[in-house]
């Protein structure tokens, strides 16, 4: 039989737990998400460092930083309750865990542009938060291994620049636009001018790190070949949040000549095109 003192301790603990839970649930969504992130991550961060709400002066500029479709920015389109900019990969894990715990949706954007607005709008009635990966943009090139690791927030231009710093005879068969975010580019297939020789950019991915719906970080070996196949062209954020890609670098000449042929579309042009 428990002593009266033990019973009192149990009752007080129960009351305290209920009180804390009630207090937490009464907080605004952004504060509950912030608390949850700090509880589930390896690095605690001040709110102002990585979080922005519609009340912050910087919110609009951050929201519009990669938006290219003005129709997605009008006042009638629902806006995120919060923009979270992870500083380490573990923060991305925590965001998935906390979104499930709080019953909210995530929209994920990498470091490039987005014309469709899929990374910053939602057509559901569920509150949503943007996870902005623009600060996870490290690129590590290993010219001896003919490979490079690129975090999801890097752009294609940054990848090309880092490759050129290490080697004049390596390249990656991606797109032409330097502001393309590598996260969305690869998940969309990544076609470019070298695809006839080396295939799509997605064909030259040899490994990847992804956060799945349970908040686990998986690489190619642990995610399995089916999921690894699906994320290379199956659409951004369809199967998880990509953290980084390991890319196969391809041989290129040190000097390349590029030219543009301008012509008017007349009968001769039509005949020339038909003969190609």
């Amino acid at each position: 039989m428990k002593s009266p003192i033990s019973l009192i301790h149990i009752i007080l603990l129960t009351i305290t737990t209920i009180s804390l839970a009630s207090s937490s649930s009464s907080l605004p969504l952004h504060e509950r998400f912030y608390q949850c992130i700090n509880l589930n991550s390896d690095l605690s961060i001040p709110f102002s460092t990585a979080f922005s709400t519609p009340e912050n002066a910087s919110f609009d500029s951050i929201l519009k930083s990669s938006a290219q479709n003005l129709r997605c920015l009008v006042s009638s389109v629902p806006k995120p309750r919060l923009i979270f900019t992870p500083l380490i990969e573990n923060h991305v894990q925590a965001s998935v865990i906390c979104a499930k715990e709080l019953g909210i949706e995530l929209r994920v954007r990498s470091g490039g542009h987005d014309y469709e607005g899929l990374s910053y709008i939602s057509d559901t009635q569920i509150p949503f938060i943007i996870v902005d990966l623009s600060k996870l943009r490290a690129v590590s090139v290993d010219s001896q291994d003919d490979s490079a690791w690129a975090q999801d927030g890097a752009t294609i231009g940054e990848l090309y620049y880092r490759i050129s710093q290490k080697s004049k005879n390596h390249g990656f068969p991606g797109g032409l636009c330097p502001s393309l975010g590598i996260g969305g580019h690869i998940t969309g297939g990544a076609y470019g001018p070298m695809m006839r020789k080396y295939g799509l950019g997605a064909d030259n991915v040899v490994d990847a790190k992804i956060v799945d719906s349970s908040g686990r970080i998986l690489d190619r070996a642990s995610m399995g070949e089916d999921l690894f196949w699906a994320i290379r062209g199956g659409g951004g954020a369809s199967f998880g949040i990509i953290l980084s890609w390991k890319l196969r670098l391809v041989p290129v000449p040190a000097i390349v000549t590029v030219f543009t042929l301008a012509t008017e579309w007349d009968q001769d042009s039509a005949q020339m095109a038909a003969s190609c």
Side-chain angles (χ1 to χ4, degrees), residues 94-115:
S95 68
V96 173
I97 293 170
C98 294
K100 292 179 67 177
E101 183 176 314
L102 299 176
I104 56 178
E105 288 192 350
L106 294 180
R107 289 291 179 269
V108 184
R109 68 183 188 185
S110 56
H113 57 238
D114 179 2
Y115 287 96

Side-chain angles (χ1 to χ4, degrees), residues 138-155:
V139 177
S140 175
V141 178
D142 184 347
S143 57
Q144 299 300 313
D145 185 50
D146 299 330
S147 67
W149 273 101
Q151 286 188 306
D152 203 58
T155 63

Side-chain angles (χ1 to χ4, degrees), residues 20 43 48 50 59 87 95 107 110 115 140 158 162 164 180 195 197-198 204 225 236 246 249 255 262 269:
L20 288 173
L43 175 66
S48 59
F59 181 82
L87 304 180
S95 68
R107 289 291 179 269
S110 56
Y115 287 96
S140 175
E158 289 170 330
R162 296 302 178 194
S164 70
L180 276 169
M195 65 182 180
K197 185 174 181 63
Y198 295 115
N204 291 277
E225 289 301 305
K246 185 178 183 181
L249 303 184
I255 298 176
S269 300

Side-chain angles (χ1 to χ4, degrees), residues 189-236:
Y191 61 89
M194 290 197 288
M195 65 182 180
R196 287 184 180 272
K197 185 174 181 63
Y198 295 115
L200 298 172
D203 297 326
N204 291 277
V205 175
V206 295
D207 204 347
K209 292 171 66 178
I210 183 174
V211 178
D212 71 359
S213 60
S214 298
R216 300 174 299 169
I217 293 182
L218 307 175
D219 61 7
R220 179 175 183 173
S222 55
M223 77 175 73
E225 289 301 305
D226 285 347
L227 180 54
F228 183 66
W229 174 83
I231 62 177
R232 293 175 297 141

Side-chain angles (χ1 to χ4, degrees), residues 6 29 34 43-44 48 69 88 138 152 167 171 176 181-182 201 225 227 253 255:
S6 297
L29 177 61
Y34 172 66
L43 175 66
S44 296
S48 59
N69 191 336
I88 58 175
D152 203 58
S167 171
L176 289 173
I182 194 165
E225 289 301 305
L227 180 54
I255 298 176

Side-chain angles (χ1 to χ4, degrees), residues 24-25 27-37 40 81-82 94-106 126-127 129:
S24 176
S25 62
L27 292 173
L29 177 61
H30 66 269
E31 291 189 24
R32 285 183 282 145
F33 187 79
Y34 172 66
Q35 290 182 354
C36 184
I37 290 292
N40 289 279
R81 299 286 189 89
L82 179 71
S95 68
V96 173
I97 293 170
C98 294
K100 292 179 67 177
E101 183 176 314
L102 299 176
I104 56 178
E105 288 192 350
L106 294 180
I126 302 173
I129 287 174

Side-chain angles (χ1 to χ4, degrees), residues 5 13 36 68 81 119 140 153 160 163 187 211 245:
I5 295 179
L13 180 60
C36 184
Q68 301 291 326
R81 299 286 189 89
S119 64
S140 175
Y160 295 161
I163 295 172
T187 55
V211 178
W245 303 100

